Amino acid sequence: MKFRSFVDGLDGYSTIVLTALEDVTGDLELMAMGAANREDFKIAIDEAAAKTDNGLVPISARESVLEDIVLEKDEQLRIRVKLGHGAQYRLGVKNG
């Protein structure tokens, strides 16, 4: 899976873009990234929603985990997330 993220602006939300290299189903744990792109610490997700042509569709989140993500090969999914306390970090996917 390809992963990238960016901060949308002053509203405190970030966008995660996932692109599936094969069919995937499962949970996705996010981490804040520190120096040299190393996983630094877990984050708290307050809100998460998939961006669709029909608007935002809520995604279940527990602590730093986006739950029940389903993507087919070559499908791209944009997820809008708001982190706890309005925090903004460089985001990555937890390894292992």
Side-chain angles (χ1 to χ4, degrees):
M1 177 176 305
K2 293 181 184 179
F3 173 97
R4 68 183 172 97
S5 70
F6 55 90
V7 175
D8 290 344
L10 300 176
D11 64 0
Y13 285 85
S14 295
T15 294
I16 296 167
V17 182
L18 303 174
T19 305
L21 302 176
E22 59 187 45
D23 292 353
V24 292
T25 301
D27 296 345
L28 185 69
E29 185 169 5
L30 303 178
M31 298 289 287
M33 301 301 290
N37 291 326
R38 297 181 64 178
E39 296 172 2
D40 197 358
F41 54 90
K42 289 186 176 186
I43 55 165
I45 300 170
D46 279 353
E47 297 174 31
K51 293 182 177 182
T52 71
D53 292 337
N54 298 320
L56 297 173
V57 177
I59 293 177
S60 178
R62 174 185 36 84
E63 298 176 356
S64 61
V65 178
L66 296 172
E67 298 180 311
D68 303 321
I69 301 297
V70 177
L71 287 169
E72 294 180 5
K73 182 178 179 178
D74 298 325
E75 182 181 3
Q76 187 176 83
L77 177 65
R78 291 178 176 264
I79 302 172
R80 184 171 159 90
V81 296
K82 179 139 184 138
L83 304 180
H85 306 291
Q88 295 180 343
Y89 301 107
R90 288 185 327 138
L91 299 175
V93 176
K94 179 170 175 52
N95 289 320

